[in-house]
């Protein structure tokens, strides 16, 4: 009788191995930093905060933390995974040095935030030029989605408060550039707010929109070629007036609350005025119709605004609301885009749901919790998260193709970044030899070849 030993082979482990690099796929992020010039831009931005005898450059320290977050870290101490691999990531500062830098930057306030954001905006314009047809503005329009995120706090950190979902934490307002169905998205705004901040606060939406526009290339900071999309939290008079103000002329598609006036107007829409909603492939969406409202519903709103309502049969088991009618779920949004059928406008607004994918990626990239105590420190952490998300968006845009182009951060980590390799030094060169049996080794090498083919910054 044979003794059962289980389903997996028994492997003995011991320390002392040499020439093996873990997280070797992180070289993709390092090469993305190098080719985009992000390291030079961040280093120059933080030069005023570098002490005269400092060993570590503040820009390199901050980027190391961002790389650790991109690789899956969720606190400052996770930079240790980079420190363990100097052959790939270079010299990495100690934990106390990293902590002191965050305190210094937090004390710098808006000067530091402005310097970091300007550096990111400069690099973003360069990346979009390098990306060419894969850039988010390739079609001549840039779409920015604004949405709030609830971040749970398990201790009484500064500005943590009860949220509208009866949890405890913070309520940041984020902005993302939509890359469309064939890509992901990149962060362009991160406004840290207390947990009790309102979902429809116009001043916060205006500030987030300002931050987002400042991240775009100059030609997209005003004009109809830039579309701002929000849920019903952005459907306020002040925010819509700001978007459509003279000299700004932005396009918008903002969700609206179903008021009693809107509800009564929907009931008066004749059956012949309803148009079938459509799917992204152009097919008719089953059980959904759209119509445009006018009359008293538009009084007091900016000139040129269109109010579009959709009615749809609710999913089985869904409960109807007081604002629904005739057993149909009603939703409403406003837009100032002309000469486009309302079914196409409704589809464009419905695609705002991709912002939820961006939020899910942000939660998996450091936004699951805010690890620091003071609000100014956590705002720096939020900037670090945005740098990490930038890298996770720029890498696919510049170097990945096919289905890998839309992989989310967790899949990138499992399949690419976590790959191990053997470090070989020969002829004054260091070479990483990926495991031949790793299923996605060719994706890594092909992506590196594409990055190497890009021109060096400057």
């Amino acid at each position: 009788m044979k003794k059962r030993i289980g389903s997996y082979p028994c492997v003995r482990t011991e320390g002392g191995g040499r020439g093996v690099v873990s997280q070797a796929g992180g070289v993709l992020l390092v090469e993305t930093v190098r080719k985009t010039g992000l390291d030079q831009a961040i280093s120059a931005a933080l030069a005023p905060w570098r002490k005269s005898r400092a060993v570590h450059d503040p820009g390199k320290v901050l980027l190391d933390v961002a790389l650790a977050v991109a690789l899956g870290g969720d606190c400052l101490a996770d930079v240790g995974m980079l420190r363990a691999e100097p052959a790939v990531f270079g010299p990495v500062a100690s934990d106390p040095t990293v902590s002191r830098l965050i305190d210094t930057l937090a004390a710098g306030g808006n000067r530091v935030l402005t310097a970091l954001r300007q550096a990111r905006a400069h690099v973003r314009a360069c990346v979009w030029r390098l990306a060419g047809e894969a850039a988010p503005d390739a079609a001549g329009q840039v779409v920015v989605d604004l949405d709030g995120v609830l971040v749970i706090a398990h201790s009484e950190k500064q500005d943590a408060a009860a949220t509208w979902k009866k949890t405890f934490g913070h309520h940041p307002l984020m902005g993302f550039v939509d890359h469309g169905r064939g890509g992901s998205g990149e962060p362009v705004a991160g406004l840290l707010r207390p947990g009790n901040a309102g979902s429809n606060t116009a001043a916060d939406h205006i500030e987030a929109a300002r931050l987002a526009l400042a991240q775009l290339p100059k030609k997209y900071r005003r004009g109809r070629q830039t579309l701002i999309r929000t849920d019903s939290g952005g459907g306020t008079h002040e925010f819509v007036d700001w978007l459509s103000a003279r000299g700004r002329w932005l396009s918008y598609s903002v969700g609206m609350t179903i008021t009693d006036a809107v509800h009564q107007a929907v009931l008066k829409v004749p059956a012949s005025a309803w148009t079938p909603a459509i799917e992204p492939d152009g097919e008719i969406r089953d059980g959904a119709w759209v119509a445009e409202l006018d009359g008293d519903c538009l009084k007091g709103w900016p000139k040129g605004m269109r109010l579009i309502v959709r009615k749809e049969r609710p999913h089985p088991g869904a409960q109807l609301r007081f604002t629904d009618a005739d057993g149909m779920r009603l939703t409403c949004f406003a837009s100032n885009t002309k000469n486009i059928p309302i079914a196409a406008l409704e589809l464009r607004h419905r695609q705002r749901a991709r912002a939820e994918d961006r939020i899910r990626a942000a939660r998996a990239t450091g936004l699951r919790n805010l690890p620091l105590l003071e609000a100014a420190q956590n705002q720096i952490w939020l900037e670090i998260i945005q740098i990490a998300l930038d890298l996770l968006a720029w890498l696919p845009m510049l170097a990945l193709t096919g289905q890998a182009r839309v992989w989310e951060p967790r899949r990138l980590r499992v399949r690419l970044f976590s790959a191990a390799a053997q470090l070989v030094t020969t002829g004054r060169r260091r070479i990483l030899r990926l495991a031949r049996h790793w299923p996605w080794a060719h994706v890594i090498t092909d992506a590196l070849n594409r990055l190497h083919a890009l021109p060096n910054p400057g």
Side-chain angles (χ1 to χ4, degrees):
M1 181 177 179
K2 293 183 179 180
K3 186 177 180 180
R4 184 178 180 85
I5 60 173
S7 302
Y8 296 94
C10 182
V11 180
R12 296 183 62 182
T13 61
E14 58 183 25
R18 296 181 179 180
V20 178
V21 177
S22 60
Q23 298 288 339
V27 71
L28 289 168
L29 295 174
V30 173
E31 194 63 21
T32 302
V33 168
R34 183 181 295 113
K35 285 296 184 177
T36 58
L38 183 62
D39 52 345
Q40 301 175 22
I42 297 295
S43 178
L46 297 185
W49 290 273
R50 179 171 185 173
K51 296 181 179 179
S52 58
R53 295 185 179 182
V55 175
H56 296 279
D57 176 58
K60 172 67 163 57
V61 176
L62 194 76
L63 269 179
D64 284 341
V65 179
L67 285 171
V69 172
L71 291 172
D74 62 359
C75 65
L76 297 179
D78 285 335
V79 78
M81 75 174 78
L82 274 64
R83 192 182 302 117
E85 304 294 352
V88 176
F89 301 104
V92 177
S94 64
D95 289 348
T97 300
V98 174
S99 181
R100 286 194 296 268
L101 174 65
I102 298 302
D103 291 341
T104 299
L105 298 182
N110 287 330
R111 285 184 59 218
V112 172
L113 297 177
T114 300
L116 287 174
R117 290 163 181 169
Q118 289 177 348
R120 289 175 53 222
H122 172 73
V123 175
R124 192 181 317 280
C126 298
V127 171
W128 288 13
R129 287 196 297 269
L130 289 174
E133 294 296 324
D137 64 337
Q141 187 178 52
V142 175
V143 180
V144 177
D145 293 315
L146 302 181
D147 206 350
V149 188
L150 292 182
V151 180
I152 304 299
H154 297 285
S155 61
E156 294 194 16
K157 300 172 183 177
Q158 187 177 5
D159 286 345
T163 70
W164 62 275
K165 277 196 172 182
K166 303 188 184 304
T167 58
F168 184 80
H170 299 82
H171 190 188
L173 188 60
M174 304 291 293
F176 299 92
V177 170
D178 184 22
H179 288 189
R181 297 180 66 186
S184 57
E186 52 192 290
V188 287
L191 184 63
L192 185 61
R193 304 189 300 167
N196 55 4
S199 297
N200 57 350
T201 305
D204 291 344
H205 278 80
I206 291 173
E207 179 62 21
R210 288 185 188 276
L211 294 177
L213 293 173
Q215 284 294 306
L216 304 181
K218 288 186 178 180
K219 64 178 180 179
Y220 295 115
R221 295 178 185 176
R222 62 180 63 193
R224 290 285 190 256
Q225 70 271 28
T226 300
L227 172 69
I228 305 294
R229 287 191 306 207
T230 72
D231 58 9
S232 58
T236 60
H237 282 272
E238 294 86 349
F239 185 53
V240 175
D241 289 342
W242 184 87
L243 292 172
S244 55
R246 182 181 297 273
R248 197 168 289 117
W249 306 118
L250 297 167
S251 297
Y252 60 83
S253 182
V254 298
M256 303 292 286
T257 303
I258 303 290
T259 63
D260 184 63
V262 172
H263 188 262
Q264 294 301 319
V266 171
L267 297 178
K268 297 177 182 179
V269 175
S272 59
W274 291 99
T275 301
I278 59 175
E279 298 285 8
D281 57 4
E283 297 292 328
I284 292 178
R285 184 177 177 88
D286 185 40
W289 297 266
V290 295
E292 185 170 359
L293 305 180
D294 54 13
D296 294 340
C297 295
L298 297 177
K299 286 185 178 179
W301 292 93
K303 184 179 179 181
M305 189 182 91
R306 305 173 68 181
L307 194 61
I308 299 169
V309 65
R310 182 186 71 174
K311 66 177 183 179
E312 184 172 18
R313 283 194 289 266
H315 297 292
Q319 293 184 350
L320 293 175
R321 298 169 294 191
F322 289 110
T323 54
D324 296 331
D326 298 329
M328 295 286 186
R329 175 63 51 84
L330 298 180
T331 56
C332 186
F333 72 97
S335 177
N336 61 347
T337 303
K338 301 179 180 179
N339 303 322
I340 295 181
I342 58 174
L345 291 178
E346 191 276 330
L347 172 64
R348 186 184 70 176
H349 183 75
R350 197 185 337 136
Q351 289 172 336
R352 194 202 65 83
R354 284 197 285 258
E356 299 299 329
D357 299 333
R358 310 289 82 81
I359 290 175
R360 182 173 63 250
R363 290 186 186 278
T365 312
L367 198 57
R368 185 181 60 84
N369 70 307
L370 299 175
L372 304 172
L373 182 62
E374 298 179 4
Q377 295 172 326
N378 282 322
Q379 181 63 65
I380 298 296
W381 178 258
L382 195 56
E383 297 299 317
I384 291 172
I385 291 173
Q386 292 179 77
I387 294 174
L389 289 172
D390 277 337
L391 292 174
L392 292 173
W394 294 342
L395 168 62
M397 191 195 309
L398 296 174
L400 298 182
T401 59
Q403 193 61 30
R405 176 79 168 77
V406 295
W407 285 351
E408 292 193 358
R410 286 178 178 173
R411 182 159 294 182
L412 289 171
R413 292 169 192 143
V414 170
R415 296 188 174 184
L416 302 186
F417 302 154
S418 64
Q422 180 185 18
L423 180 64
V424 179
T425 303
T426 176
R428 297 184 179 180
R429 294 185 303 168
R430 288 179 295 184
I431 301 173
L432 280 178
R433 290 180 177 172
L434 298 169
R436 185 179 302 173
H437 63 272
W438 188 250
W440 303 281
H442 68 283
V443 179
I444 299 175
T445 54
D446 290 347
L448 285 172
N449 290 335
R450 294 188 186 94
L451 289 173
H452 293 157
L454 296 175
N456 291 321

